[in-house]
Amino acid sequence: MAPYGLLVTRLQKALGDINQEVYNFLATACVKYGIILENYAYLRVLLIGSDSHIPNGGSLGGICIGVGGADAVEIMTGIPWELKCPKVIGMKLTGSLFSWTSPKDVILKVAGILMVKGGTGAIMEYHRPGVDSVSCAGMVTICNIGAEIGATTSVFPYNHRMKKYLSKTSRADIVNLADDSKDHWAPDPGCHYDQLIEINLSELKPHINGPFTPDQARPVAEVGKVAEKEEWPLDLQVGLIGSCNNSSYEDLERSAAVAKQALAHDLKCKSQFTVVPANACGPCIGHWGRKDIQKGKKNTIVTSYNRNFTGHSDTNPETHAFVTSPEIVTVLAIAGTLKFNPETDYLLGKDGKKFKLEAPDADELPQAEFDPGQDTYHPTSQHLQLLEPFDRWDGKDLEDLQILIKVKGKCTTDHMSPADPWLKFCGHLDNISNNLLIGAVNTENSQANSLCSAVTQEFGPVPDTARYCKKHGIGARTGSMHATLELHHLWGPAIITKSFARIHENNLKKQGQLRLNKVHPVDKLTIQGLKDFAPGKPLKCVIKHPDGTQETIHLNHTFDDMQIKWFHAGSALNRMKELQQ
């Protein structure tokens, strides 16, 4: 539940000022609209999102399921979503969390029971009485890692922990509704589960899972001996905390409480220690620019993340990655070894005296209120641009379309919209359109990014030529998603080719562009039959040659009924807006 603004500083230090404007926008927008962890969720919402960690929303009683990006777009455009009816695994929690045991240990224990596939096709339903000792942020952690055991999603019943979080994030209206019907926000008496697992929190010990898989679970007290037996590196190279499943105020305050005890005895971490204090990926998906060890060398790292598969953390197959709670990561980073148990072992202070760490405590939520912020978006930005809707189809056939370019050979995403160094403009359609087709080879001169203008008859870069023609009303009325957006933004509604890659074909459709088959260069085209545009019915293309002759061909397409509606609306996003009105 940490504000995004905390992450911005670290990103700027790591990447410099290239994207500072974007980071500032994200930070201030998140503050303004209260976008903190799980602010998208509420009780019993059915929410579909294009990320494997959408199940976080189960921490507020929502049924939140992660899907692929294409599925998410189709859902937003009104296409029915299909899901095989999931099983329900009952997770009965008894007792209470105490001492060094944290919510992370609950899901690490569950992972050890069910393994990485044990939750596949099932909803994990946690229920009382033990859930009342788990904070709302703790429920986030448990729901988040449920994805690592294959669960469709995880969910908790409404309780005072959720009430406290919702109230703190200015959602008292939801609290009032929930309180009025709280009997409906818990499992029905006598309900049947396909499988029932019971965990006594009062007996649960701090756990650490790994290496190479998140379901190899064992208590922290045992991992040192196992590491010696298996000849895993005992010395800890790096400790990392944060990410989307353990970046709450409570998580970081508990880690800080451990660090303060070490500092009080003039101790520093024996291992490298990295903190990502916000809901971000970064090192969790290997993006941390690790340079402290050569690839192929055995080493051990411990993280508070959710995955530790081979090579996931840093692409090094010899990195033995373990996952545990943020406070245990902090402890092990201070001790510098896997062979340390904070419940029984002692550290040696700078003064030569032994001392034992006390179990950390932390506030569940920050005492101060969240700052609503202010509107700080600047429309003159070079990195961010408001996306204006494309024009709707005007109901007419497309007359005398000018061909922008006929490409020689394959035309991949890299030809259509090269990435680096253009990604800094990924939030600004007009600027990133300056890389439109700059890698594509023109059949007229066998050169890349060299095109003869239909207006001036002079050769120039593809984006400049497209802009000039668009300005003079030639072409359209107006891969990757960027590439198809750029094509629509700068040029036209039709792409004619022998064949398409599946993903690029879908992206073209979502931008309201026609995907057709085969034509000559330098001709003008009229596409007829759009009033009767229908699945499986070819369109008619009149090819007008420069010598005044013309011929007619039929063009195949693969549009279905929904995709034709995207074309009529101007894009899939336009169609979504229509459905909401």
Side-chain angles (χ1 to χ4, degrees), residues 404-405 407 411 415-417 435-440 449 462 487:
L404 174 64
I405 184 174
V407 177
C411 187
H415 294 94
M416 292 183 287
S417 180
N435 74 354
L436 175 64
L437 291 166
I438 61 176
N449 199 28
V462 177
L487 284 167

Side-chain angles (χ1 to χ4, degrees), residues 280-339:
C281 291
C284 188
I285 57 172
H287 289 181
W288 51 305
R290 189 178 185 191
K291 298 178 181 178
D292 62 289
I293 198 163
Q294 291 183 344
K295 189 172 182 178
K297 184 177 180 181
K298 273 190 175 183
N299 72 103
T300 290
I301 66 172
V302 178
T303 81
S304 67
Y305 305 154
N306 40 34
R307 297 173 186 166
N308 60 340
F309 298 109
T310 302
H312 178 79
S313 300
D314 59 3
T315 73
N316 183 359
E318 292 300 327
T319 292
H320 293 56
F322 296 81
V323 291
T324 186
S325 67
E327 52 266 44
I328 294 298
V329 173
T330 307
V331 167
L332 297 181
I334 293 169
T337 176
L338 288 177
K339 201 172 182 180

Side-chain angles (χ1 to χ4, degrees), residues 39-323:
N39 214 16
Y40 59 78
Y42 55 90
L43 287 161
R44 290 304 181 263
V45 62
L46 173 59
L47 190 148
I48 311 300
S50 58
D51 188 272
S52 62
H53 305 306
I54 293 299
N56 283 10
S59 62
L60 286 177
I63 303 298
C64 304
I65 302 174
V67 299
D71 286 340
V73 171
E74 290 177 351
I75 292 165
M76 289 188 289
T77 55
I79 296 176
W81 178 59
E82 295 182 357
L83 176 71
K84 183 179 179 180
C85 184
K87 297 178 180 179
V88 180
I89 298 177
M91 303 298 304
K92 184 178 180 180
L93 303 183
T94 61
S96 300
L97 293 172
F98 73 104
S99 187
W100 286 93
T101 306
S102 74
K104 184 67 165 278
D105 299 307
V106 176
I107 189 60
L108 294 180
K109 177 69 174 179
V110 172
I113 296 171
L114 290 176
M115 312 300 284
V116 292
K117 295 183 179 179
T120 301
I123 292 178
M124 313 288 292
E125 186 178 290
Y126 292 83
H127 54 279
R128 291 184 173 89
V131 296
D132 289 337
S133 74
V134 182
S135 68
C136 194
M139 296 178 197
V140 168
T141 298
I142 293 171
C143 290
N144 184 299
I145 306 182
E148 309 312 318
I149 55 175
T152 302
T153 193
S154 303
V155 64
F156 278 83
Y158 178 69
N159 65 0
H160 70 284
R161 301 282 193 167
M162 294 184 189
K163 179 177 181 177
K164 185 176 182 180
Y165 176 79
L166 288 166
S167 298
K168 193 72 174 179
T169 54
S170 303
R171 288 182 282 178
D173 53 341
I174 296 179
V175 170
N176 294 334
L177 290 172
D179 285 344
D180 291 341
S181 55
K182 58 184 178 182
D183 292 339
H184 295 289
W185 311 127
D188 297 329
C191 62
H192 170 75
Y193 293 103
D194 295 286
Q195 183 179 354
L196 181 63
I197 297 174
E198 184 172 338
I199 297 177
N200 187 339
L201 302 182
S202 299
E203 298 176 355
L204 184 64
K205 290 292 186 178
H207 270 58
I208 182 169
N209 291 21
F212 307 127
T213 177
D215 58 9
Q216 191 172 180
R218 58 181 56 84
V220 172
E222 300 176 9
V223 69
K225 293 181 180 178
V226 175
E228 286 182 321
K229 180 181 177 181
E230 299 293 335
E231 297 184 347
W232 299 333
L234 275 177
D235 290 342
L236 178 60
Q237 196 77 17
V238 188
L240 305 99
I241 67 173
S243 87
C244 64
N245 69 327
N246 267 132
S247 60
S248 72
Y249 185 89
E250 180 182 33
D251 288 328
L252 297 180
E253 194 173 55
R254 282 173 67 89
S255 296
V258 173
K260 287 177 181 178
Q261 294 181 61
L263 289 172
H265 291 82
D266 291 328
L267 285 186
K268 295 183 179 180
C269 290
K270 292 184 177 179
S271 308
Q272 294 182 49
F273 189 49
T274 298
V275 181
V276 180
N279 181 21
C281 291
C284 188
I285 57 172
H287 289 181
W288 51 305
R290 189 178 185 191
K291 298 178 181 178
D292 62 289
I293 198 163
Q294 291 183 344
K295 189 172 182 178
K297 184 177 180 181
K298 273 190 175 183
N299 72 103
T300 290
I301 66 172
V302 178
T303 81
S304 67
Y305 305 154
N306 40 34
R307 297 173 186 166
N308 60 340
F309 298 109
T310 302
H312 178 79
S313 300
D314 59 3
T315 73
N316 183 359
E318 292 300 327
T319 292
H320 293 56
F322 296 81
V323 291

Side-chain angles (χ1 to χ4, degrees), residues 307-483:
R307 297 173 186 166
N308 60 340
F309 298 109
T310 302
H312 178 79
S313 300
D314 59 3
T315 73
N316 183 359
E318 292 300 327
T319 292
H320 293 56
F322 296 81
V323 291
T324 186
S325 67
E327 52 266 44
I328 294 298
V329 173
T330 307
V331 167
L332 297 181
I334 293 169
T337 176
L338 288 177
K339 201 172 182 180
F340 187 87
N341 177 14
E343 293 185 301
T344 58
D345 296 339
Y346 288 79
L347 291 169
L348 188 64
K350 191 174 182 179
D351 59 4
K353 296 180 180 180
K354 292 183 178 181
F355 71 97
K356 188 178 178 183
L357 292 168
E358 297 181 358
D361 193 16
D363 292 331
E364 186 173 343
L365 291 167
Q367 296 180 4
E369 297 298 325
F370 290 104
D371 186 347
Q374 56 185 333
D375 189 349
T376 53
Y377 172 65
H378 301 289
T380 57
S381 168
Q382 294 301 305
H383 297 274
L384 302 164
Q385 180 186 36
L386 293 176
L387 185 61
E388 297 295 333
F390 293 122
D391 294 339
R392 285 182 54 82
W393 177 55
D394 61 7
K396 301 177 182 179
D397 287 337
L398 304 176
E399 299 284 346
D400 293 331
L401 296 179
Q402 181 70 48
I403 296 173
L404 174 64
I405 184 174
K406 183 174 182 182
V407 177
K408 182 178 181 180
K410 291 183 178 180
C411 187
T412 69
T413 295
D414 289 334
H415 294 94
M416 292 183 287
S417 180
D420 189 42
W422 295 92
L423 288 181
K424 61 178 175 288
F425 297 124
C426 63
H428 196 295
L429 177 58
D430 195 56
N431 281 346
I432 201 170
S433 293
N434 287 324
N435 74 354
L436 175 64
L437 291 166
I438 61 176
V441 177
N442 185 3
T443 56
E444 291 184 278
N445 57 8
S446 297
Q447 294 183 20
N449 199 28
S450 177
L451 188 66
C452 183
S453 170
V455 179
T456 65
Q457 299 301 312
E458 296 178 356
F459 278 85
V462 177
D464 293 351
T465 303
R467 287 184 185 280
Y468 189 89
C469 292
K470 179 181 178 180
K471 181 180 178 180
H472 290 80
I474 299 173
R477 296 180 303 275
T478 205
S480 70
M481 191 65 75
H482 281 142

